[in-house]
Amino acid sequence: PSPTNNPATSPAAYHTLNSDDLPPANAAAARPAPLKGFLTSPEWHTGGYANPQYYNDPESTMEFYYIGLSDVMTGMTSFPGFDTVVEPRIAASASRGKHAILRFYMDYPRPAGSYVSHTPQFLIDDYNLQMTPWSSVDLNAVGSSPDYSDENLKTALANFAAALGNRYDGDNRVGYIQVGLLGFWGEWHTWTEDPATHSWIPDATKTALIDAFDAAFETTQIQIRYPHWYAVGANQRQGLGLHDDSFAHSTIDEGVYGAPMSWFFWSQVQASAATDFWMSGAMGGEVRPELQATIFDDNYAAGTQYKQDFGLCAETTHATYMLDYYAFATSYSGNALASARAASDQMGYAFRLAEVSVAEGSDGGTVDITASVIQDGIAPFYYDLSLELSCPDGYSGTVGGVDDIVSEGSTASFTFTAVPATSTCLSSLGFSLSSSYALAGASVKFAQGVSDGEVVEVSLPLPPTSPPTPQPTSVVTSSPTKNPTPLPTFSPTSPPTTLPTELPTAQPTPIPSAPPTALPTAQPTSTPSEPPTAMPTSPPTHAPTPMEPITPSPTNNPATSPAAYHTLNSDDLPPANAAAARPAPLKGFLTSPEWHTGGYANPQYYNDPESTMEFYYIGLSDVMTGMTSFPGFDTVVEPRIAASASRGKHAILRFYMDYPRPAGSYVSHTPQFLIDDYNLQMTPWSSVDLNAVGSSPDYSDENLKTALANFAAALGNRYDGDNRVGYIQVGLLGFWGEWHTWTEDPATHSWIPDATKTALIDAFDAAFETTQIQIRYPHWYAVGANQRQGLGLHDDSFAHSTIDEGVYGAPMSWFFWSQVQASAATDFWMSGAMGGEVRPELQATIFDDNYAAGTQYKQDFGLCAETTHATYMLDYYAFATSYSGNALASARAASDQMGYAFRLAEVSVAEGSDGGTVDITASVIQDGIAPFYYDLSLELSCPDGYSGTVGGVDDIVSEGSTASFTFTAVPATSTCLSSLGFSLSSSYALAGASVKFAQGVSDGEVVEVSLPLPPTSPPTPQPTSVVTSSPTKNPTPLPTFSPTSPPTTLPTELPTAQPTPIPSAPPTALPTAQPTSTPSAPPTALPTAVPTSPPTHAPTPMEPITPSPTNNPTTPPTTSPVVAHKTIVCGRGDIEDKPCAEGLKDTAPIDEMHEVRCCRDCTGINCKKPWKRKCATFDSDLYARSKVSGVCKVGTFAE
């Protein structure tokens, strides 16, 4: 992501502005934001495209056009409609400062009597194209579909794509082009109640059209209606995205339908292993028409059947734009309008200036200014975008590459050199964004500032007169996977040479009979302590523990294997079913046994949703009685852990010293020996807001820090790697061990020095190698650039102040996720688990149908969980009172949503190395939002006594990711192959509480599979669904998705107007259910575009494009001698001391051509895409030639 002119090293900065010094994040400041948000079609409103009359709040920056193909194309190479139909519309939109989005169609369903075919007439008259009339009661419509298998039609469509691209590719007035053309409304389906219509569009026609549009458009973004194996996933085309025209209706499967909804949009994306498509191509679509009027109402029943939460759908799909006719025809008002504005802001990109530093230039009269830009949005800016800097002295500089900041929370730095070192210039610097795709008067702005983000103004001081001592700055880096930047650790002073006599321990402090009081609803005006402005003078005791990279594929999975003679794909295996994984260890909702009758020994509480963990608050004084004395491990901690384990539940622990209580019931849990023997000072406090009192220790005391470090070391020595302990919350500091001392008195806010926090982070990081640890807030020393392996976060006001949904009138920078974003730590969950507690006052109602999700301090649980990648949450109410009815169903679904969810996606079998065995390869997909944070293996067994185990399932981290696991030498007997059982195993699974697949009708403990015996003669290799955890491999032909549900009904369409039939109301969406038939399988070879009958005019033949790699034959190649070879690797390269991490390595002839893509320099598990664009040319003498930041680079893999 960094521009190539950003030097790897630069002079030390003499001054730095961080986020607190710059204008605050404010999504509204970017309005109107080009190329994102809501839009309508001018031709659905009075005045048409020339002078449309529609509301414009939320502000729209795009306009949509449906155009019939027959209105544009009149012959194989004749397109007069470009001038008479298309161009006037694009020009009219551009004159209003709006980008056009186009879709062309041939068969637009209409009520009987109003239908007009838009299949070009010349194909019928001159090429004998056959048409099939159809009618549908469910659609209340008729139509006429062309023979989509006709070779002349395919030639015509390819010619149209080429001509459209030749005319409009790179035209900055056109924002996106939806490929359309095929099926009803150009939506690539022909679904009616008659199953005979479902298979009218052959897959060969789809693949040919994908090739044609991919070849025609190099710059302008194109989109297709559904994920197709030939365009996304392993075959992702650069610049090709998707659109969902039933958005928020059948987009995501929230688990409330009684069965997996495999035909839902995102389910198809996941089945195609294409969940990262948005990194290459934009996500668009249309809010389902019947939802548009109510989707932003306070009482909209989000999360019920076919009424999905807009924010969750947008976040999941990384949506950039959505059609919403109602918003512009009728308009929202009140809270609904505020929510619609926030939803518009949520979509697409959102850039913010996060840090600005200045260093002396190479000569005495200039300075170098480096700016860090952070992406707060959920999707990239899909065209060129640069950062500009100007000042009144006439200086102006531009650095490209802002469009390379793809993922939410990612950053990049841009350096401007030779800026005049004058007070006139430095006191009035202006940063702005520029793009060749921005139309006149419609610039791309920062999502930052009080009102307008077009220019972020910054003032910097002149250089010092003498060389300054470099000051530390808040490290902001675009690569969250770099090894932790060495930052200072705290060095505790030595304890007295003669330790005092230890005091006897007291009896364990009684555990509260009710859940703890939560944080006050009002928050402080000050910000929690930031990274220190000056480093400690003492040297660090050690550098932060480097984060271990996780490789996505198990190393024992061979890179090559014999051709499979039989493959089972997702349709042949048990269906996805989150409930089948219950009770799921180490995830979901939980409570504390000590908040219920019976206590830890025999707790009496409800267990629905099923809980697999129990939480314990423990006072430090109940455990620690001296600097090296911890009798409470045996008397307090161990009994609780053992009791939970006896119930098959993992323990979660948090230790504390200062637990606020009402006056008269407070007991300090600061160890007494520190007060008596080390003169630790205590500060009593009281708070009206908290209705509580307490006594805080002097957190700056060196002996206290030593004691806490000793405690961490002893706790880790005792329990690190103990599989009975699921997670440990670091706690200890502040109220409730939550690392803050917030009351209405600002004097309390700074009681915990940052040096104490960093010392405790170091201590726990050193003490725990296996067991996951968590802290309450993102801290610069533990996450972001300094991410510690196995360290996560917990939010104890979950769904109350977790995410800023833009309904508060100002940015809520103190909200949990806002702090995570400000710390550039949005990928922390890949290393450490996310936990916490549902805010207590929300617990009773959060899953009710009338819960006002999206209003102030009432956030949608699903959206919060999806955003934070939550694994577990405390919810006392669920177990004390219990939910019922719809609320219980929603709570179960929410519990299922959290954490991991694995599913067997494909099983293939190949003949083994001898005649009596086979090799079985299973592909596992992660459907969950977070990893399994401990070891997890795939096991295979059969009645013949065979048993095999392959590790690495825990390496499948991100939702939609897959990995393959091969079991060799499996007995090739009917007894074995007819009764194979796949299961999951972990050393962290307690007795009787196994990790299960989220798959199957009832219980996912074992997925049973039956495979045939090997054939008696060598088979012809069949195409199989290759599921790989490495989305950067050259495209592999994959089978298309097979929808399984029958269609129901669509709303009636309204008549069109001349010249091009445009609906007077927005188009109706897809039917709510899908067909039972299966689309045709991928072709073994691409069709050739040869007319089947002599045409009147000679058609321009379509050039077929073969998917890469070019040496991928449909049958095994014959062996031929070669002189020289080169190594083809996926990963860090074929380097002696750094072997290929992913385990994918092969050799090929030196003159054989391969497409090579290069990612940015990153080495850890947080490394994300994008993969850079391929170079236009290829030099076979080079190992690699790749485009980085627009420049082609050459060299060996090692270089």
Side-chain angles (χ1 to χ4, degrees), residues 912-1061:
S913 54
D914 60 68
T917 66
V918 292
D919 296 344
I920 296 177
T921 298
S923 173
V924 176
I925 189 169
Q926 162 74 286
D927 289 335
I929 59 176
F932 187 88
Y933 291 98
Y934 297 101
D935 66 275
L936 191 62
S937 300
L938 182 65
E939 294 191 347
L940 174 63
S941 62
C942 74
D944 270 3
Y946 174 87
S947 178
T949 302
V950 184
V953 179
D954 51 299
D955 289 332
I956 314 175
V957 174
S958 303
E959 185 177 8
S961 297
T962 60
S964 296
F965 305 84
T966 297
F967 299 86
T968 57
V970 181
T973 66
S974 59
T975 305
C976 183
L977 297 186
S978 64
S979 187
L980 295 162
F982 288 93
S983 57
L984 297 167
S985 66
S986 172
S987 67
Y988 259 71
L990 300 176
S994 58
V995 183
K996 304 177 183 180
F997 289 102
Q999 182 173 20
V1001 176
S1002 58
D1003 187 87
E1005 187 154 7
V1006 178
V1007 173
E1008 296 181 349
V1009 168
S1010 178
L1011 293 170
L1013 292 169
T1016 54
S1017 58
T1020 302
Q1022 64 171 354
T1024 63
S1025 173
V1026 179
V1027 181
T1028 170
S1029 59
S1030 174
T1032 62
K1033 291 176 63 178
N1034 289 326
T1036 305
L1038 300 178
T1040 53
F1041 174 78
S1042 174
T1044 57
S1045 303
T1048 53
T1049 60
L1050 278 180
T1052 305
E1053 292 297 323
L1054 300 179
T1056 59
Q1058 297 297 325
T1060 303

Side-chain angles (χ1 to χ4, degrees), residues 105-140:
Y105 64 89
M106 292 187 287
D107 189 11
Y108 198 118
R110 295 287 187 190
S114 62
Y115 178 80
V116 177
S117 171
H118 284 84
T119 301
Q121 190 64 33
F122 78 90
L123 287 169
I124 300 169
D125 297 342
D126 301 333
Y127 293 89
N128 196 32
L129 175 65
Q130 298 300 300
M131 302 294 292
T132 302
W134 60 266
S135 63
S136 168
V137 175
D138 284 353
L139 299 182
N140 185 28

Side-chain angles (χ1 to χ4, degrees), residues 228-289:
H228 190 279
W229 64 273
Y230 196 56
V232 296
N235 298 320
Q236 178 66 55
R237 307 295 180 104
Q238 182 63 38
L240 185 146
L242 303 173
H243 60 97
D244 176 9
D245 296 347
S246 284
F247 197 76
H249 169 274
S250 45
T251 301
I252 55 176
D253 184 354
E254 296 172 293
V256 294
Y257 301 89
M261 306 301 276
S262 58
W263 59 270
F264 275 17
F265 176 80
W266 196 248
S267 299
Q268 295 189 50
V269 172
Q270 291 174 312
S272 303
T275 53
D276 286 340
F277 79 86
W278 57 274
M279 291 183 169
S280 301
M283 170 68 192
E286 179 182 20
V287 178
R288 179 84 171 197

Side-chain angles (χ1 to χ4, degrees), residues 38 135 143 163 211 506 526 597 617 627-628 636 930 1049 1081 1107 1145 1169 1180:
F38 291 116
S135 63
D211 274 334
S526 66
T597 303
Y617 271 113
M627 275 293 182
T628 58
V636 179
T1049 60
K1145 182 164 94 173
K1169 271 87 38 196
S1180 61

